[in-house]
């Protein structure tokens, strides 16, 4: 999300500005995807792949309303739709308690942005590092410790994109614990232009689709340009009560201002959804938990209202539906 470390209201306003309004009225209802046990193929009624390649469509289309219809009453998808609604601001909320969302995954942070720690037998891969050196010291480190994750075991910090609310604590972790910091080459350049005092020293560069392996766990790091030119969205294994699942973490949700960036974003959504199908992704994560109901799902895990189910496990078909809704929301802005 954009951009820096401001007061709470300012941060929320900046976050809202990164999202886009929906336009128009429904004209083409979308068919529902099958249940989670069924096929993971895209639901009928979503936008055709022709539009992603720049081919023209005939007749009026309201992608935004189709996104709403496809979301139905799904709270995760409705949260995504809400985040793209005119005037949306993240609701006031207390900072969440640190939460172990999977056997090997812990999420810490504020109500605005999170960091995701993936534990392995040989150390920790951390995705994002909060907004500043101070937040790393005062929030990230003690919250990891509170759930039994030793911050000294952080070997890599994967920065999903080059905005300060994601790289802010990275240099602190590098200086204190010797963690290596990774970012795409393009977003190292984006970060270098940032006015934040916490821009990390340039370290490791992520290649498109790179596989980062630590302690027998392999995290795949595909480029998903759009939010920034070099956004990266990890795919990695997670375990829940001993059962393996495959997670995605969408690295940058807000749309950029230039139309070329929006077109890049659309291509990334389509390509990433295909990668998710091939990889069997059934878990959806985001580094801004207000945009996908992530904070509510964390709370359900902590207070026990989730029961035996993990609310982050959507199933393959529902994970695909998440991407279909996101695709329609992006197409709506391109079509508007």
């Amino acid at each position: 999300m954009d951009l820096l470390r401001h007061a709470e209201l300012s941060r929320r306003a900046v976050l809202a500005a990164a999202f886009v309004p929906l336009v128009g009225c429904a004209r083409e209802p979308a068919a529902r995807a099958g249940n989670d046990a069924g096929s993971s193929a895209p639901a009928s009624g979503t936008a055709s792949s022709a539009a992603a390649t720049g081919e023209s469509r005939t007749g009026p289309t309201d992608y935004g309303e189709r996104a709403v219809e496809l979301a139905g009453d799904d709270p995760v998808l409705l949260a995504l739709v809400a985040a793209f609604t005119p005037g949306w601001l993240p609701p006031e909320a207390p900072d969440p308690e640190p939460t172990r969302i999977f056997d090997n995954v812990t999420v810490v942070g504020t109500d605005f942005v999170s960091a995701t720690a993936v534990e392995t037998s040989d150390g920790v891969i951390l995705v994002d590092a909060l907004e500043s050196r101070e937040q790393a010291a005062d929030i990230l480190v003690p919250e990891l410790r509170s759930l039994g994750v030793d911050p000294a075991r952080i070997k890599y910090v994967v920065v999903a994109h080059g905005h300060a609310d994601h790289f802010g604590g990275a240099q602190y972790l590098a200086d204190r614990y010797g963690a290596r910091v990774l970012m795409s080459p393009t977003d190292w350049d984006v970060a270098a232009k940032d006015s934040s005092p916490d821009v990390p020293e340039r370290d490791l560069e992520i290649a498109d689709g790179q596989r980062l392996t630590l302690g027998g766990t392999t995290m795949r790091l595909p480029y998903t340009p759009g939010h920034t030119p070099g956004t990266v969205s990890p795919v990695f294994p997670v375990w829940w009560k001993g059962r393996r699942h495959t997670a995605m973490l969408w690295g940058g949700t807000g749309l950029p201002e230039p139309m070329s960036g929006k077109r890049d974003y659309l291509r990334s959504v389509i390509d990433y959804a295909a990668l998710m199908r091939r990889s069997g992704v059934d878990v959806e994560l985001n580094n801004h938990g207000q945009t996908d109901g992530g904070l509510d799902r964390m709370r359900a895990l902590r207070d026990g209202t989730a029961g035996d189910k993990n609310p982050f496990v959507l199933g393959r078909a529902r994970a695909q539906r998440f991407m279909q809704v996101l695709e329609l929301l992006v197409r709506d802005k391109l079509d508007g």
Side-chain angles (χ1 to χ4, degrees), residues 28 46-51 55-61 63 66 331 335:
E28 299 180 58
T46 58
S48 71
S49 60
E55 297 177 24
S56 62
R57 293 178 57 92
T58 59
T61 303
Y63 294 114
R66 290 168 64 187
R331 289 187 186 278
D335 198 51

Side-chain angles (χ1 to χ4, degrees), residues 118-295:
V118 181
E119 296 174 78
T120 81
S121 60
D122 197 31
V124 174
I125 302 173
L126 186 72
V127 181
D128 293 335
L130 304 187
E131 299 179 70
S132 66
R133 176 178 291 268
E134 290 75 21
Q135 283 192 358
D138 298 340
I139 298 174
L140 192 153
V141 166
E143 288 194 350
L144 287 178
R145 283 181 175 149
S146 74
L147 292 180
V149 181
D150 183 357
R153 299 188 75 239
I154 299 173
K155 305 297 184 183
Y156 298 105
V157 180
V158 174
V159 180
H161 66 265
H163 289 160
D165 52 330
H166 299 271
F167 67 63
Q171 192 60 48
Y172 173 86
L173 298 172
D175 292 342
R176 182 164 182 182
Y177 301 115
R180 304 298 302 273
V181 180
L182 297 84
M183 212 180 312
S184 69
T186 304
D187 272 30
W188 274 117
D189 295 340
V190 170
K193 298 174 183 176
D194 200 291
S195 61
S196 167
D198 298 317
V199 175
E201 298 174 7
R202 194 165 187 136
D203 192 5
L204 301 177
E205 295 185 348
I206 298 172
D208 187 14
Q210 175 179 334
R211 287 172 169 82
L212 176 65
T213 299
L214 183 67
T217 295
T218 297
M219 177 179 288
R220 188 169 180 178
L221 301 171
Y223 291 176
T224 52
H227 181 68
T228 63
T231 298
V232 171
S233 296
V235 175
F236 52 96
V238 299
W239 281 263
W240 176 246
K241 297 183 177 181
R243 183 177 178 181
R244 189 187 191 279
H245 299 272
T246 302
M248 57 78 90
L249 194 159
W250 189 243
T253 303
L255 285 172
E257 186 61 30
M259 292 301 287
S260 60
K262 293 180 178 67
R263 287 191 289 270
D264 288 343
Y265 196 122
L266 178 59
R267 283 190 290 269
S268 292
V269 170
I270 294 168
D271 291 346
Y272 194 71
L275 172 62
M276 288 169 55
R277 285 194 296 274
R278 294 193 300 271
S279 303
V281 167
D282 60 350
V283 171
E284 179 274 329
L285 303 174
N286 194 293
N287 44 26
H288 287 281
Q290 297 265 29
T291 64
D292 68 342
L295 298 186

